[in-house]
Amino acid sequence: MCAKNIDKEAKAAEKAAAKAAAQEAKAAKAKTKAKAKRKNVGANEFNFFFLHGEKIGIAAAVGIFGMMLAGGAGLDPFTLTPEQITDAANKAEKHIDESEVTPQEYDEALVNYDYGEYAKLIKSAVTVNAYETPNRWEQSLFPDKNKRPSVKPLPVENLRAVACVGAIMYKELTANNAAAAMGGAAGGMGAGAMGAGGPGGAMGGAGGMMGGTGGETKGRQWIAVTGSIPIRKQQAAYGDLFGNAQYLDDARDQPRYLYYELERGEVAPNGDVTWSKVDVLRAIKKENNQWNGVGSEQVGFSYHAPTFSSYPPMAMSCPPMANKPFGEEIANLPNIPLNSSEQIEVQSAELERWNKLQEAMNQIDESTLLDRDPFEGAGGSAMGGGMGGMGGMDSGMAGGPGGMGASGGMGANGMGAGNDWLVNREAVAKQMLNAQTVASVDYYLFRYFDFEVEEGKTYQYRVKLLLANPNYGVEERFVEDPTATEQKIVASEFSEPSNPASLGRSARIFAQSVEAPSRPGLEPRVRLASIYFEQESATESLAQDLSMKLGQVANFKGKPHEAVNVAGALQTGMGGMGAASGMMAQQSGGRGGRGGRNSGKATVDHVSDACLVDAVGGAKISGAELRSPGKIMILEPNGYLQIREVKEDARELGRYDGSQSGGMGMGTGAAGMMM
């Protein structure tokens, strides 16, 4: 019984355990299912677009398609049939096939190669020349020679125009100056000599003329045109062009300046310029035939281009001016300065011979001037130093170091004469052996005096240089351009136009001093000097310390006319005192002074019509006993502004007020004696 009960209890316990296990498994399964369900719920909350993006995209596409259908509902219906579409496609294809289109029609740079023909080249031998190097592996000891190239000359630089006024000696003999001419004739050439007064009195003698002839003194106005001919640069250019040429020629391989073309431009009130060619040779001959000789040359001989056979000089001779010497207007600063007193003294020793050169001017035929052989008589060496290199002809005196060089320049110690223009042919042979190959200066002087100008007009100038063609007459096989061997002349471009210039009024204005204002708001104190030229008596007077205010016109009425004797000038009004008096006047150092027939007896009006616009400078420089440079700006009557500096004007004023000792050099000396 007991055993039976025990088995029954065991089965009940086993059944209970199995039920418990089943419940436990069911609970675990329910827990797992609940956890998975919770996970899915989280994904739906935080990844909605990720889970349903595809559905959203399809819905959007359906919406857009619907909108397109709705928008196209109002369009015209497509009426072409399939047959019409096929026909149109066939026509288009036929048009394309029948069209002829070449590469050049749409791309000119495209090269249409025939590659079939090009491929056949593989059967032919390779051309060696196409692969040769331009430089040889074994260089020659001497470089290959080249053919002679053509030349383009360099133009004139720094062209400048300056209005001038003065008393010029003419050949006409009048009763007024007959006594002076007779007095000067006694002294003649040797009367002045070189006195203690320096070269300013070299050719003393009031009205002393070559050969005892007299003349008339007239007041004239003119414009001096000067420029710098770049000889050094031109020689360097020739050296570059012909230094390695197959054919070399001493007479051709150096610049040879023959002549020039000059154009005068008349400036209209609106600024327009009307250019016209100047008959230069006619004008020079006209003036030279009227002058009683020529004035002294105060520019060194080395700055003058050599003058060749039958050609006029590149620097026109100065007129024989009385009562004062020429100043910086006949040079071309800063490239070409005036001579020092010592240089002028040396040059004056040969002035008598220079006068003979003027006679040769009348022998020049202007109609055939540029048709001549520019190398005639060159002899392969130097010919003609002319006015550019006169040192002493055959006197042995050095005339300025060098000139054109082996091709046609001045000799080292003399001038070397030309065939017709110069007179001493023996000097040619002497100087052929001494010709230099490089010019001694950087620039040659260009100069022209224009007397054919009128008051009230404004002028500008431009110049074209004419040189001998270095390839003229050379065999064609030596020249790059065979046609160049037939041209006698090569020309430069026209130079830059000069500054505008007008003939002045009765007075010339100079800056004398500028003082800075004592306190802000005040104007600077300006003092001017005025030089008045009287045409009738050909005399000048000086008015100084003329106080000016800004905006004031520099016209001064009723100033005393005391004739001024400019430093270094001839005193043509000294009458029968003659040459001795002239020399005595210069032995005091050539200082300017007062005197003349109108001294203290007349008053004149200094009229310049120039307006003082502005002034600067004059202030004391801190820590030094110096003041800043004084400058004034004046408005000229022709409407152009001009700057004048106190320091520069002091040199010109020093010739008039007696402060310049020794003068600027010789004045005009004996008319007919100076070049």
Side-chain angles (χ1 to χ4, degrees):
M1 181 73 178
C2 293
K4 187 176 181 179
N5 289 337
I6 292 172
D7 291 335
K8 188 176 182 180
E9 289 179 0
K11 290 180 180 179
E14 184 179 356
K15 187 177 182 180
K19 186 177 181 180
Q23 289 179 349
E24 185 177 354
K26 185 177 181 180
K29 184 178 180 180
K31 185 177 181 180
T32 302
K33 186 176 181 180
K35 185 179 294 186
K37 186 176 181 181
R38 179 64 181 172
K39 182 177 181 181
N40 292 337
V41 171
N44 292 339
E45 290 179 356
F46 301 103
N47 301 289
F48 176 80
F49 290 99
F50 178 78
L51 297 175
H52 303 285
E54 183 178 355
K55 299 175 182 178
I56 294 173
I58 294 174
V62 171
I64 294 173
F65 184 71
M67 292 176 62
M68 293 176 62
L69 291 176
L75 298 177
D76 295 335
F78 186 75
T79 58
L80 292 179
T81 64
E83 292 77 9
Q84 291 175 329
I85 296 175
T86 302
D87 184 58
N90 292 335
K91 289 182 179 180
E93 185 176 0
K94 182 179 179 181
H95 178 72
I96 293 174
D97 293 339
E98 294 178 354
S99 298
E100 295 183 2
V101 180
T102 60
Q104 288 78 6
E105 293 185 22
Y106 55 87
D107 189 355
E108 295 182 358
L110 181 63
V111 179
N112 187 18
Y113 286 104
D114 186 347
Y115 289 98
E117 295 294 327
Y118 195 72
K120 294 179 181 179
L121 296 177
I122 196 172
K123 299 179 181 180
S124 60
V126 176
T127 303
V128 178
N129 294 337
Y131 299 91
E132 287 183 350
T133 58
N135 298 322
R136 292 179 297 182
W137 291 102
E138 296 181 2
Q139 288 293 314
S140 173
L141 183 60
F142 301 99
D144 293 336
K145 299 295 184 179
N146 304 321
K147 291 188 176 183
R148 297 171 64 87
S150 299
V151 172
K152 189 62 176 179
L154 301 174
V156 170
E157 300 177 9
N158 195 36
L159 196 65
R160 183 178 302 166
V162 180
C164 303
V165 63
I168 297 179
M169 301 178 188
Y170 288 89
K171 292 179 179 178
E172 293 83 357
L173 184 64
T174 64
N176 292 335
N177 59 15
M182 293 300 293
M189 175 60 191
M194 298 303 297
M203 309 303 293
M209 310 298 173
M210 181 180 179
T213 60
E216 181 181 9
T217 301
K218 299 179 182 179
R220 293 290 303 276
Q221 289 183 296
W222 64 93
I223 293 179
V225 185
T226 61
S228 298
I229 300 174
I231 175 59
R232 186 87 71 178
K233 297 177 185 177
Q234 191 66 74
Q235 283 187 326
Y238 271 49
D240 294 339
L241 292 173
F242 305 123
N244 196 37
Q246 297 174 359
Y247 174 82
L248 299 176
D249 188 328
D250 288 342
R252 288 172 167 80
D253 297 349
Q254 291 288 330
R256 182 177 288 238
Y257 294 96
L258 300 180
Y259 196 43
Y260 55 90
E261 290 183 9
L262 177 70
E263 287 192 354
R264 180 196 303 119
E266 188 172 329
V267 185
N270 62 357
D272 293 339
V273 182
T274 303
W275 295 99
S276 60
K277 185 177 180 179
V278 178
D279 192 341
V280 173
L281 191 57
R282 179 197 58 79
I284 293 177
K285 293 170 69 173
K286 174 184 175 183
E287 292 300 325
N288 282 359
N289 287 336
Q290 296 181 76
W291 295 343
N292 199 352
V294 289
S296 65
E297 180 56 79
Q298 299 191 59
V299 175
F301 294 139
S302 58
Y303 290 100
H304 288 253
T307 301
F308 296 98
S309 173
S310 301
Y311 292 95
M314 300 299 290
M316 182 176 173
S317 302
C318 297
M321 188 163 60
N323 298 330
K324 68 175 180 180
F326 284 98
E328 295 172 352
E329 70 275 5
I330 65 171
N332 191 255
L333 301 178
N335 299 329
I336 302 175
L338 289 175
N339 265 341
S340 65
S341 298
E342 292 75 12
Q343 291 170 319
I344 295 176
E345 182 174 353
V346 173
Q347 291 185 174
S348 65
E350 291 297 322
L351 292 179
E352 181 179 4
R353 299 174 186 255
W354 277 53
N355 188 67
K356 298 179 181 178
L357 302 181
Q358 290 303 109
E359 301 175 2
M361 175 64 77
N362 294 325
Q363 307 302 320
I364 297 179
D365 183 1
E366 51 206 279
S367 62
T368 61
L369 184 65
L370 300 181
D371 294 331
R372 304 176 185 135
D373 183 349
F375 300 103
E376 180 183 358
S381 185
M383 66 160 291
M387 296 194 216
M390 172 171 282
M393 302 183 76
D394 54 353
S395 66
M397 182 182 69
M404 293 295 297
S407 70
M410 304 176 291
N413 297 313
M415 76 174 206
N419 291 343
D420 300 323
W421 173 257
L422 304 180
V423 291
N424 190 345
R425 299 194 180 192
E426 294 180 1
V428 179
K430 291 181 179 181
Q431 300 312 322
M432 280 182 179
L433 301 177
N434 298 322
Q436 296 184 351
T437 58
V438 179
S440 61
V441 294
D442 291 336
Y443 295 95
Y444 284 152
L445 174 65
F446 168 81
R447 184 173 62 206
Y448 179 78
F449 297 106
D450 190 3
F451 287 86
E452 299 175 333
V453 288
E454 303 176 14
E455 290 188 27
K457 293 184 178 181
T458 302
Y459 301 96
Q460 285 184 280
Y461 298 85
R462 60 187 183 187
V463 178
K464 177 185 293 186
L465 297 176
L466 304 180
L467 282 70
N469 179 16
N471 291 327
Y472 173 71
V474 178
E475 292 186 42
E476 294 184 0
R477 61 192 179 99
F478 295 122
V479 182
E480 289 182 356
D481 181 9
T483 62
T485 62
E486 302 174 0
Q487 303 171 3
K488 297 182 176 69
I489 304 296
V490 289
S492 71
E493 299 291 339
F494 272 112
S495 65
E496 291 293 325
S498 71
N499 58 288
S502 303
L503 296 183
R505 302 296 195 264
S506 64
R508 292 177 294 151
I509 297 300
F510 297 90
Q512 190 171 352
S513 67
V514 176
E515 296 181 18
S518 57
R519 62 177 184 272
L522 296 181
E523 291 185 359
R525 298 179 60 183
V526 180
R527 294 186 181 277
L528 303 181
S530 177
I531 299 177
Y532 169 79
F533 182 80
E534 187 181 69
Q535 293 276 354
E536 182 179 354
S537 62
T539 58
E540 289 180 295
S541 61
L542 173 67
Q544 300 188 81
D545 298 321
L546 303 173
S547 180
M548 290 285 294
K549 295 182 179 180
L550 301 185
Q552 183 178 349
V553 178
N555 293 337
F556 307 98
K557 307 290 185 178
K559 296 295 179 180
H561 182 73
E562 298 183 55
V564 177
N565 298 319
V566 183
L570 272 174
Q571 301 181 33
T572 57
M574 295 180 65
M577 296 288 292
S581 298
M583 185 179 72
M584 292 173 60
Q586 303 303 329
Q587 286 178 343
S588 63
R591 298 172 64 89
R594 309 299 174 97
R597 62 187 181 186
N598 292 325
S599 178
K601 295 182 180 180
T603 59
V604 294
D605 296 334
H606 289 240
V607 178
S608 69
D609 287 337
C611 177
L612 178 62
V613 177
D614 200 0
V616 295
K620 186 176 180 180
I621 300 176
S622 177
E625 294 299 324
L626 301 173
R627 295 188 178 274
S628 58
K631 301 179 182 181
I632 64 171
M633 177 187 291
I634 58 176
L635 179 64
E636 296 285 356
N638 59 9
Y640 291 93
L641 291 172
Q642 182 183 16
I643 304 296
R644 303 204 68 93
E645 298 188 18
V646 173
K647 183 178 180 180
E648 291 185 358
D649 286 355
R651 291 197 297 266
E652 179 71 10
L653 292 175
R655 303 166 64 195
Y656 289 85
D657 62 10
S659 62
Q660 184 179 115
S661 177
M664 302 257 322
M666 295 176 58
T668 54
M673 298 309 304
M674 293 171 252
M675 180 62 67

